[in-house]
Amino acid sequence: MSAKRQADFEPVDQSDYLEFVALGGGNEVGRSCHIINYRGKTVMLDAGVHPALNGLSALPFYDDYDLSTVDILLISHFHLDHAASLPYVMTHTDFKGRVFMTHPTKAIYRWLLSDYVRVSAISSNDASTLYTDADLNASFERIEAIDYHSTTEVEGIKFTAYHAGHVLGAAMYFIEIGGIKILFTGDYSREEDRHLNIAEVPTERPDILITESTYGTSTHQPRIEKETRLLNLITKTIVNGGRCLLPVFSLGNAQELLLILDEYWQNHPDLDGIPVFYASSLARKCLAVYQTYINMMNDSIRKKFRDDRSNPFQFKHIRSLKNLERFDDLGPCVMVASPGMLQNGVSRELLERWAPEAKNALILTGYSVDGTLAKQILNEPSEFSSIAGGGIKVPRRLYVEEISFAAHVDYKQNSEFIDLVNASNIILVHGEQTNMGRLKSALLSKYKDLRQTENEVKVFNPRNSEELRLPFRGVKVAKVMGSLAAKPPMDGQILSGILVQKNFEMSVMAADDLKEFSGLTTSSVIQRQSITVEVSAELIKFHLEQMFGTLKDATVGSGLGYTIMDSVNVFWKPKSIVIEWEGNMLNDAIADSVLAILLSVESSPMSVKISSKPSHCKANFNRPEKIERVLVFLDSQFGSAVEPMENPDDGVYINIDGHIASVNFRNMDVICSYEPLRSRVTHVLDHAVDTILPFDFGKEESDESYESSSSITPIKEERDS
Ligand SMILES: [Zn+2]
């Protein structure tokens, strides 16, 4: 099975569409969750929560998709907006798929999420807690950890994780479903920092790129400039006797900032008396994880580790604070504290404490999501609501500045990466509406010269729950196997066999080869009917021979028996006649005719005549019955492709893939300009006529019909298999 590049065409088959739905992260930052469905396989990407919302409303729109159909769920990285609703999905929905993430992500995920459960239990009422610690533990065991660069295959879906930069363990996923290739960036960065490698560009070209658009068309300040700006602002604040608050997400960005601060303090002994704190309950636990995975970080941090023979994340100038109980707030200091968007916790408590004084500074280094206090305070309001509630306002006089160290790409980095990846379909996710819209326009105008060409680049920015359908013409190739493959194929030859599809690989084989080549076991259904007929065996044989020609003797011992058309056996038992055949469409039709003859044989006028003078007889069917029986054959072969003519007695049309064959019931002629179809229909029709109506069909006969007499009754039907 292979697939051609997408082109402008009207797909005939529904399975030629790839469906994409953002259940979260569509025109927003937060609660990332995307669904890809192609050829019956479903991949889910990320399962986050929205940082500005609480309880169930923080979830992606899970009710809008049947999660029981998801085959695999890939988590890009441990941030809450990408991973924090995973335990909910695994324990509170119909989801039954397999879940994958990288080893470091899995290690950190556990600590982060138990902290998330603890914090949400404190800051909200029980009803809005999405899941418990027990749910987290129960689902954790089912998460499968993967290595970068190794390809995993599940149900025919292949995927490979690549480094995404951003945070330790962050992955981009290169996914292949039925020949269509998709790259999902997750959150990614292309600027080398103090500890992480930049995102890789996979060597293969995908058909679809799903990329983040957090920073839209904006440009990051060069790294050296922003580090200088940060350190100058901190120094100035401290010198003026103020305190610096740096809200951060507890892991990832925090480690990067701490590396910068530790190095600066190392090089500036004059700052020795000024404490730098890192307030995170997870600091100690995650230190071990960061040490374990140093081999996945960049050269400079690995070199530092080798040279110093110590953990570079074991900082010399930074003190860890588990909580504020042990914090003596005595004067100038630098406080790196979570959470990053000031929703609750330590960073919020310190902000409310320090906001009224103008000498203090708030430095926002991460991305601030719409609806959070971090975003709101960037507008420098004169006051803001206290987390204590009750309408309490906190005056804001402290200095606020945003110096972004968020490990996301800016426009230049994103568009360079998009060029390198070279996909013809780009789906934007993880961006506020305005940023995403600007990025879309910028990309469309960048690629405008390719419009209406083979290399056209399409850019999509779907909203949450809006279904995006991309047409891909799949070329379906089936491999011929077993006895069918014994002879070399000839031009125009039509093969008939059983089409076996396993994931995306199709093969055609003879029924007898099924077991050997597909591993499928086969069984046949033997149909058996008993009827009582009070006429002589000789008379029945006569009628059967009239209809089917010579019968084969199948007598067993004293029990008389015949085989009709090599497929239906008729046996005489003491009080009944048993008809036995292997169930399939053709045999069933023959058995039907046999049964019809047996049921009508007694009342047939022929039966009266026969005793005196055997002669040629007419078929036991009137014309409508004949047509009906021919239709049984045609329907079994062509199904819904059979359409009656205006006058159904005249015949039918058989419409297959746009080729039309007309079958005339008056003379059994088949007219079709497409020879393969004509010969197939003719073959089926000949068979039907031979089987059921070996007499002149064209000649109109009387509409005489025969009632079966009360002495002939079907008594039972049974099935063996
Ligand atoms: Zn992230």
Side-chain angles (χ1 to χ4, degrees):
M1 159 88 231
S2 65
K4 274 186 189 163
R5 199 138 295 283
Q6 183 192 12
D8 281 320
F9 73 105
E10 275 299 311
V12 185
D13 194 344
Q14 283 306 302
S15 68
D16 286 336
Y17 283 105
L18 179 140
E19 290 170 5
F20 173 90
V21 190
L23 298 181
N27 282 270
E28 67 177 354
V29 174
R31 60 174 154 190
S32 281
C33 180
H34 322 298
I35 300 270
I36 302 164
N37 175 280
Y38 185 60
R39 294 194 179 271
K41 303 290 174 187
T42 307
V43 178
M44 186 167 163
L45 303 167
D46 284 343
V49 294
H50 198 297
L53 301 169
N54 285 312
L56 290 171
S57 57
L59 290 175
F61 295 92
Y62 289 134
D63 291 343
D64 289 354
Y65 203 86
D66 178 4
L67 297 186
S68 71
T69 63
V70 175
D71 295 294
I72 57 169
L73 166 48
L74 306 175
I75 298 288
S76 65
H77 63 291
F78 58 66
H79 277 156
L80 298 181
D81 58 331
H82 295 262
S85 62
L86 179 58
Y88 178 87
V89 169
M90 293 175 80
T91 58
H92 289 65
T93 72
D94 293 337
F95 175 84
K96 299 184 200 68
R98 289 169 65 183
V99 180
F100 298 89
M101 55 177 72
T102 63
H103 286 279
T105 299
K106 190 177 175 188
I108 295 168
Y109 163 91
R110 171 162 217 158
W111 302 122
L112 265 185
L113 263 67
S114 54
D115 189 57
Y116 174 74
V117 171
R118 189 182 56 80
V119 173
S120 19
I122 296 169
S123 62
S124 60
N125 56 37
D126 269 353
S128 66
T129 316
L130 294 171
Y131 47 86
T132 62
D133 236 358
D135 294 333
L136 174 60
N137 291 334
S139 56
F140 186 77
E141 300 304 324
R142 284 164 50 208
I143 298 172
E144 298 171 60
I146 51 165
D147 293 317
Y148 286 104
H149 305 133
S150 78
T151 300
T152 308
E153 184 170 348
V154 178
E155 305 281 332
I157 306 164
K158 291 181 200 152
F159 63 92
T160 312
Y162 289 90
H163 288 283
H166 192 60
V167 288
L168 176 62
M172 293 189 168
Y173 287 104
F174 193 93
I175 304 156
E176 189 177 336
I177 316 173
I180 297 296
K181 300 183 177 83
I182 302 147
L183 178 66
F184 171 54
T185 64
D187 288 357
Y188 80 107
S189 58
R190 290 278 287 168
E191 177 187 82
E192 180 146 341
D193 60 17
R194 276 176 164 65
H195 70 296
L196 292 172
N197 283 307
I198 63 169
E200 301 169 278
V201 181
T203 47
E204 264 192 286
R205 177 188 175 186
D207 300 283
I208 301 170
L209 171 68
I210 303 169
T211 181
E212 65 140 303
S213 52
T214 321
Y215 280 91
T217 50
S218 41
T219 306
H220 292 332
Q221 195 176 20
R223 195 167 173 92
I224 296 180
E225 283 175 32
K226 64 187 177 192
E227 279 190 23
T228 310
R229 195 150 70 91
L230 173 77
L231 296 167
N232 284 348
L233 176 57
I234 288 175
T235 312
K236 195 175 122 199
T237 307
I238 291 166
V239 168
N240 290 334
R243 298 159 174 89
C244 291
L245 176 61
L246 284 78
V248 289
F249 185 73
S250 54
L251 285 166
N253 230 3
Q255 275 62 33
E256 181 65 15
L257 283 174
L258 296 174
L259 286 168
I260 296 172
L261 293 172
D262 200 46
E263 185 187 289
Y264 191 69
W265 254 248
Q266 178 74 20
N267 298 334
H268 292 80
D270 50 312
L271 291 172
D272 243 4
I274 308 294
V276 182
F277 297 103
Y278 172 38
S280 166
S281 55
L282 296 172
R284 290 209 169 277
K285 284 171 183 159
C286 291
L287 194 66
V289 179
Y290 266 73
Q291 174 154 358
T292 308
Y293 293 106
I294 272 180
N295 62 332
M296 290 190 181
M297 298 178 197
N298 64 22
D299 288 345
S300 83
I301 198 96
R302 288 208 301 253
K303 183 172 183 299
K304 209 171 162 198
F305 180 55
R306 277 197 309 273
D307 295 352
D308 299 358
R309 297 192 160 275
S310 68
N311 182 351
F313 296 97
Q314 187 86 58
F315 302 106
K316 292 191 183 70
H317 303 275
I318 289 156
R319 304 180 206 172
S320 272
L321 272 184
K322 211 171 174 185
N323 51 50
L324 290 183
E325 280 162 30
R326 290 155 70 186
F327 171 52
D328 296 322
D329 192 1
L330 297 174
C333 70
V334 178
M335 176 69 77
V336 177
S338 66
M341 298 186 217
L342 301 161
Q343 306 96 305
N344 47 37
V346 176
S347 62
R348 178 61 169 264
E349 193 178 333
L350 288 176
L351 175 71
E352 297 197 6
R353 194 191 291 182
W354 295 346
E357 280 193 82
K359 64 181 178 183
N360 297 332
L362 172 69
I363 307 169
L364 292 162
T365 57
Y367 180 81
S368 305
V369 170
D370 271 353
T372 59
L373 179 59
K375 182 80 178 188
Q376 190 194 330
I377 211 160
L378 280 171
N379 295 327
E380 303 182 36
S382 60
E383 57 179 23
F384 60 91
S385 299
S386 165
I387 196 148
I392 300 171
K393 296 287 182 189
V394 180
R396 183 210 60 88
R397 290 183 204 93
L398 96 170
Y399 179 76
V400 178
E401 187 160 335
E402 183 180 37
I403 305 175
S404 173
F405 283 83
H408 291 275
V409 284
D410 66 1
Y411 175 66
K412 188 166 170 282
Q413 294 156 349
N414 207 359
S415 67
E416 273 171 13
F417 182 80
I418 290 169
D419 277 346
L420 291 169
V421 168
N422 194 20
S424 44
N425 295 280
I426 300 166
I427 302 175
L428 303 179
V429 295
H430 199 282
E432 306 287 359
Q433 195 178 353
T434 321
N435 284 347
M436 201 184 260
R438 282 184 186 142
L439 179 59
K440 181 181 178 177
S441 309
L443 292 173
L444 285 177
S445 87
K446 182 176 174 184
Y447 297 120
K448 66 176 186 296
D449 292 343
L450 300 175
R451 221 174 281 165
Q452 310 290 345
T453 71
E454 226 186 313
N455 299 318
E456 174 162 7
V457 178
K458 294 185 176 143
V459 185
F460 305 93
N461 54 340
R463 293 169 176 282
N464 283 337
S465 298
E466 180 183 306
E467 190 182 74
L468 176 66
R469 282 155 64 85
L470 302 177
F472 286 92
R473 190 197 295 276
V475 177
K476 297 171 187 93
V477 178
K479 195 171 167 187
V480 179
M481 306 181 88
S483 55
L484 287 184
K487 280 187 198 157
M490 289 185 308
D491 241 10
Q493 184 188 351
I494 295 171
L495 265 182
S496 74
I498 294 174
L499 183 68
V500 179
Q501 180 168 0
K502 190 183 176 201
N503 292 325
F504 300 106
E505 278 167 22
M506 290 193 278
S507 43
V508 178
M509 59 191 76
D512 294 344
D513 292 334
L514 263 185
K515 190 167 184 179
E516 186 178 348
F517 290 96
S518 72
L520 292 169
T521 51
T522 55
S523 62
S524 51
V525 176
I526 303 295
Q527 306 259 26
R528 196 174 290 136
Q529 287 225 4
S530 303
I531 57 172
T532 53
V533 181
E534 292 174 359
V535 289
S536 71
E538 200 180 86
L539 190 59
I540 289 173
K541 186 182 177 224
F542 169 79
H543 279 276
L544 290 174
E545 278 179 335
Q546 288 301 316
M547 179 64 92
F548 300 108
T550 317
L551 307 182
K552 257 190 217 162
D553 186 29
T555 303
V556 184
S558 62
L560 184 64
Y562 297 109
T563 301
I564 298 159
M565 312 261 325
D566 290 330
S567 55
V568 177
N569 294 316
V570 179
F571 297 113
W572 271 259
K573 300 273 172 183
K575 282 192 174 159
S576 62
I577 294 177
V578 175
I579 310 165
E580 194 180 88
W581 70 98
E582 189 180 319
N584 62 42
M585 291 307 283
L586 194 64
N587 293 356
D588 289 354
I590 297 169
D592 270 357
S593 322
V594 171
L595 204 61
I597 291 171
L598 293 179
L599 289 172
S600 60
V601 73
E602 201 176 37
S603 58
S604 159
M606 198 57 57
S607 303
V608 182
K609 287 184 203 165
I610 191 125
S611 52
S612 54
K613 184 185 165 222
S615 71
H616 289 292
C617 72
K618 293 193 183 292
N620 284 340
F621 302 113
N622 57 29
R623 188 181 158 79
E625 275 177 335
K626 288 174 185 172
I627 292 176
E628 200 176 301
R629 271 150 218 280
V630 169
L631 274 173
V632 167
F633 270 77
L634 294 177
D635 275 346
S636 75
Q637 289 289 321
F638 303 108
S640 60
V642 180
E643 296 157 16
M645 288 182 176
E646 203 176 335
N647 174 4
D649 277 0
D650 289 348
V652 290
Y653 296 111
I654 296 169
N655 182 344
I656 290 181
D657 294 342
H659 299 292
I660 297 174
S662 67
V663 178
N664 184 333
F665 284 163
R666 308 255 163 217
N667 56 14
M668 289 292 130
D669 265 1
V670 179
I671 299 170
C672 178
S673 58
Y674 182 58
E675 180 51 29
L677 179 60
R678 196 199 65 80
S679 76
R680 212 177 126 202
V681 174
T682 306
H683 180 77
V684 171
L685 203 63
D686 285 353
H687 207 82
V689 172
D690 283 354
T691 306
I692 303 165
L693 310 160
F695 302 100
D696 174 22
F697 194 87
K699 196 178 159 206
E700 291 283 349
E701 287 156 16
S702 70
D703 270 352
E704 196 180 5
S705 61
Y706 308 108
E707 300 271 327
S708 62
S709 82
S710 59
S711 64
I712 302 171
T713 40
I715 54 172
K716 63 175 178 173
E717 176 169 5
E718 50 187 287
R719 278 174 162 232
D720 292 350
S721 72

